[in-house]
Amino acid sequence: MNNTDLKKYPVLPVVPQHVGLIMDGNGRWAHARGLPRLAGHRAGVQCLETVFRAAVEFGVSILTLYAFSTENWNRPESEVRGLLRILGDTLQNEIDKLDEHGVQLRHIGDLTPLSEALKRPICSAIELTKENDRLIVNVAFNYGGRREIVEAVRDIVRLGIPPEQISEETIAEHLYTGGVPDPDLIIRTSGEMRVSNFMIWQGAYAEYYVTPTFWPDFDRDEFYQALLAFSHRKRRFGEVEIG
Ligand code: IPE
Ligand code: IPE
Ligand code: MG
């Protein structure tokens, strides 16, 4: 950071380790410009590079991006097809750059309904970047928090774990995010005050931040404002604050 930046973005006393991003409002962004919804989704991918750079700069180590929910299959077929194409194109065009910048790409959700042509580049991107440690980016694609809990329960039953041995930790370990710390901050763009099935277990004690900005306009400054708001929150985790 240079001096002007330090004035505009003073170093924050606390920074969330893991930030979840509910990237909402692409359709409304496009509609406001008289563009098709898919143009909004493409614009939504464009701003990711800025967000990744800002995450590294401000000291965030893990980002989880909500890209496609288990409920988003209920959208018109042409939009769903377009979103799948955007995922494939983005992987193809950006993976080398992401790798060079030290991004470790991961996926959470259910890949089974995706075509082989899409699963293959996803798996190779994960493999290629698995040793990178500058920024972990979890992509939640075909992700649903309830589905994730159902799958965890199925795993636990399949393993024959006795009921009395099942703890909160057991469930957490069997979620897609097993081993990843819970999100400290979940940011939702476009003003909606709901969770929409995103990290419903892991977000139990996350701080939420909602901005009216549509996702394609989310930038470094917006990110900083969210982190600044987080730094002023008092996280009590059910306890009484002392002092
Ligand atoms: C978020 O933008 C992206 C996805 C859900 C895939 P939307 O497509 O939900 O945009 P709005 O909410 O209709 O504006
Ligand atoms: C949540 O946005 C899912 C993603 C951002 C991928 P939606 O637009 O699907 O959520 P709802 O339908 O407004 O709750
Ligand atoms: Mg939406």
Side-chain angles (χ1 to χ4, degrees), residues 74-133:
N74 298 323
R75 293 189 176 200
E77 204 203 317
S78 58
E79 180 165 346
V80 171
R81 243 186 297 119
L83 285 164
L84 293 170
R85 198 174 330 115
I86 290 171
L87 174 65
D89 290 353
T90 308
L91 278 172
Q92 195 183 331
N93 300 335
E94 307 297 333
I95 189 60
D96 290 335
K97 201 180 230 180
L98 289 172
D99 185 38
E100 271 166 37
H101 284 88
V103 170
Q104 183 187 132
L105 215 58
R106 297 185 182 184
H107 168 261
I108 57 170
D110 179 12
L111 289 180
T112 38
L114 304 193
S115 68
E116 281 307 315
L118 199 48
K119 269 188 258 186
R120 226 174 299 115
I122 295 173
C123 295
S124 41
I126 294 169
E127 183 60 28
L128 176 73
T129 62
K130 69 175 188 218
E131 307 290 344
N132 294 347
D133 59 5

Side-chain angles (χ1 to χ4, degrees), residues 128-204:
L128 176 73
T129 62
K130 69 175 188 218
E131 307 290 344
N132 294 347
D133 59 5
R134 205 143 177 241
L135 178 69
I136 292 176
V137 175
N138 280 318
V139 180
F141 199 98
N142 192 23
Y143 171 88
R146 287 184 173 180
R147 170 89 61 87
E148 179 180 37
I149 293 169
V150 169
E151 287 194 14
V153 171
R154 285 181 178 162
D155 272 357
I156 291 166
V157 172
R158 246 182 247 123
L159 289 167
I161 300 176
E164 59 283 1
Q165 282 181 24
I166 299 173
S167 62
E168 292 189 6
E169 287 71 30
T170 319
I171 295 178
E173 278 163 22
H174 287 86
L175 297 174
Y176 302 132
T177 48
V180 176
D182 287 342
D184 307 288
L185 170 67
I186 293 178
I187 301 172
R188 183 163 186 154
T189 55
S190 90
E192 307 294 358
M193 305 273 187
R194 57 178 170 263
V195 176
S196 301
N197 208 6
F198 182 64
M199 296 194 124
I200 53 177
W201 174 283
Q202 301 89 331

Side-chain angles (χ1 to χ4, degrees), residues 1 50 210 237:
M1 271 201 257
T50 309
V210 175
F237 300 101

